[in-house]
Amino acid sequence: MTKASADLHQPLIARRMDRVASFLAMDVLSAAAAKERRGDSVIHMEVGQPSAPAPRAAREAAKAALDLGRIGYTEALGMSALRERIARHYKDTYGVSVAPERVVVTTGSSAGFVLAFLSLFDPGQRVAITAPGYPAYRNILEALGIEPVTIPLAKADGWIMTAESIARAHAEKPLHGILAMSPANPSGTMIGRKALAELGETCRRLGLWFVSDEIYHGLTYGEPTSTALASDDDAVVINSFSKYYCMTGWRIGWIVVPERLVRPIERLAQNLYISPPYLSQVAALAAFDAMEELEAVKAAYARNRAYLLEELPKVGIAEMHPVDGAFYIYADIARFTNDSIGFSRRMLEEAGVAATPGLDFDPIEGSHYLRLSFAGSENDCRETVARLKAWLK
């Protein structure tokens, strides 16, 4: 490529790259790691990563597979045994029948979103997401040339996406799909069974694709979760072994899709990453037999949640979204700041507590919000409160 042709292409490359914003949680993680390398102490509340290891059964299954020596490709859609076990999970957990052929094993839920967005939407089409909401939704959609349409969440609606809000947005300018998450990141707030069914019904009536992010299923502290598939067989459901199953670094997840999407998604998967990693699939299959161990991890989250909900208001962090599930607290810090990035930076440097600024999840109202993850140890939560009490006094 000549210099002239390179200069000609530079604006196009810049425009495409500019669509993808930083993932601030990872930026905070990098800053915290740098602080630790300097010998300073940091309490990590910034990333949604379980502190517990993968279940013993999963690790042992991976070791056994590794000892056999040959780690190769699998089918692009995943190992049949794992797809069958995931399908059985829907019957056992939700009473919903899912054909194994509709299950697609993916390289983490992140690859699942890319496969779903590429198979469902064309460039220029419009997909509703929430604010606050997981930032990678917006960033991946924009990188693919798909327009994210922000639906602001409201306290009056229980901080959830509602059927009415979707209908209003569609009436203003047609949508092509919606993406809902329950339990939600950054808040842990859940969409109840009735509201989830109403979202599905509205999507069917308006001819929209319904994508349901269910990666925090299994992690609830009251009412159990409901899958979108219970009321809408045409929904595209994305899940992962990262959160409940404590397997973040294994990069293994799945999608359940309508039958007519299986072959298009298979073609995409073949070309994008050939197949999900074999060792991770073997481990994931075994993880389904570790429920007692995983429920003990969840019980530790519940204790952390209860402690923080009681103690954070005592240091002035009292306004937060309902923490129904997951392992996050999304707190309003307006009494302290309207600059959540600066506040997060100072909190890390001065108090040694790493947390994610709300602007990661909401480009407007997030300026006065902060997300704290309680996926770490009970000691981490207690030390966080102690440091914040001293810092905010």
Side-chain angles (χ1 to χ4, degrees):
M1 181 181 291
T2 66
K3 183 180 186 302
S5 61
D7 290 343
L8 180 65
H9 285 82
Q10 187 61 36
L12 178 61
I13 295 170
R15 285 197 301 272
R16 188 172 69 243
M17 291 295 94
D18 285 346
R19 292 174 183 156
V20 182
S22 295
F23 196 163
L24 294 181
M26 301 308 294
D27 287 347
V28 174
L29 177 63
S30 295
K35 184 175 175 65
E36 287 176 312
R37 287 194 295 272
R38 297 194 297 269
D40 296 333
S41 169
V42 174
I43 304 297
H44 289 275
M45 307 288 279
E46 78 275 35
V47 291
Q49 175 160 261
S51 58
R56 179 181 297 276
R59 303 196 308 270
E60 291 178 348
K63 288 178 184 176
L66 189 61
D67 287 342
L68 292 177
R70 185 178 182 277
I71 309 300
Y73 297 135
T74 70
E75 298 171 71
L77 296 176
M79 294 166 44
S80 60
L82 180 55
R83 296 170 72 196
E84 289 167 4
R85 184 62 186 85
I86 291 170
R88 194 177 107 204
H89 166 73
Y90 280 88
K91 187 67 174 177
D92 294 345
T93 305
Y94 309 105
V96 174
S97 294
V98 172
E101 293 77 18
R102 293 175 53 195
V103 177
V104 179
V105 182
T106 61
T107 307
S109 63
S110 299
F113 289 118
V114 173
L115 291 173
F117 295 162
L118 284 172
S119 63
L120 297 177
F121 308 115
D122 292 326
Q125 292 190 326
R126 306 174 77 245
V127 178
I129 60 173
T130 63
Y134 182 52
Y137 300 154
R138 179 175 63 252
N139 295 338
I140 294 172
L141 288 168
E142 289 182 338
L144 296 175
I146 302 164
E147 181 184 350
V149 178
T150 300
I151 306 293
L153 300 183
K155 185 174 183 178
D157 295 327
W159 300 112
I160 63 170
M161 177 185 279
T162 65
E164 293 80 4
S165 66
I166 294 304
R168 284 195 303 270
H170 184 70
E172 291 174 7
K173 186 176 180 181
L175 300 169
H176 299 87
I178 74 166
L179 200 169
M181 186 185 208
S182 177
N185 178 5
S187 65
T189 303
M190 269 176 33
I191 303 174
R193 181 185 299 270
K194 182 174 181 291
L196 195 64
E198 289 172 350
L199 278 174
E201 189 282 326
T202 297
C203 286
R204 289 192 301 275
R205 177 170 56 83
L206 299 177
L208 312 179
W209 283 109
F210 181 14
V211 182
S212 180
D213 181 346
E214 301 180 359
I215 72 170
Y216 292 98
H217 273 215
L219 296 176
T220 60
Y221 309 104
E223 180 185 350
T225 49
S226 177
T227 177
L229 293 169
S231 55
D232 186 356
D233 194 54
D234 220 27
V236 173
V237 166
I238 297 177
N239 210 323
S240 170
F241 288 92
S242 289
K243 308 303 181 179
Y244 177 76
Y245 298 93
C246 302
M247 296 177 66
T248 51
W250 297 76
R251 308 314 302 135
I252 193 76
W254 75 85
I255 326 176
V256 181
V257 300
E259 186 177 348
R260 64 188 182 280
L261 289 181
V262 173
R263 181 55 180 161
I265 285 181
E266 182 177 26
R267 293 196 300 267
L268 284 169
Q270 289 170 341
N271 286 282
L272 288 175
Y273 56 80
I274 301 179
S275 70
Y278 170 76
L279 274 183
S280 297
Q281 292 187 71
V282 170
L285 181 59
F288 281 110
D289 296 324
M291 303 309 292
E292 183 176 349
E293 183 179 348
L294 293 170
E295 284 297 301
V297 173
K298 174 183 168 181
Y301 298 154
R303 291 192 295 272
N304 289 348
R305 171 184 177 271
Y307 176 78
L308 291 174
L309 290 180
E310 180 178 353
E311 295 298 324
L312 285 177
K314 297 177 184 178
V315 300
I317 301 176
E319 295 295 324
M320 56 193 72
H321 288 212
V323 190
D324 304 320
F327 35 56
Y328 303 115
I329 288 174
Y330 192 60
D332 190 337
I333 53 171
R335 65 173 295 183
F336 300 111
T337 187
N338 197 38
D339 174 15
S340 60
I341 292 180
F343 185 87
S344 172
R345 185 181 300 117
R346 293 193 307 275
M347 190 167 76
L348 174 60
E349 288 303 317
E350 298 169 13
V353 176
T356 305
L359 281 172
D360 213 13
F361 313 102
D362 185 342
I364 300 174
E365 295 299 324
S367 61
H368 58 92
Y369 275 89
L370 193 72
R371 190 194 72 175
L372 296 160
S373 168
F374 54 84
S377 69
E378 186 173 345
N379 284 340
D380 283 348
C381 292
R382 292 183 179 277
E383 181 64 16
T384 292
V385 170
R387 293 188 184 193
L388 291 180
K389 184 177 181 179
W391 185 59
L392 294 171
K393 65 181 180 180

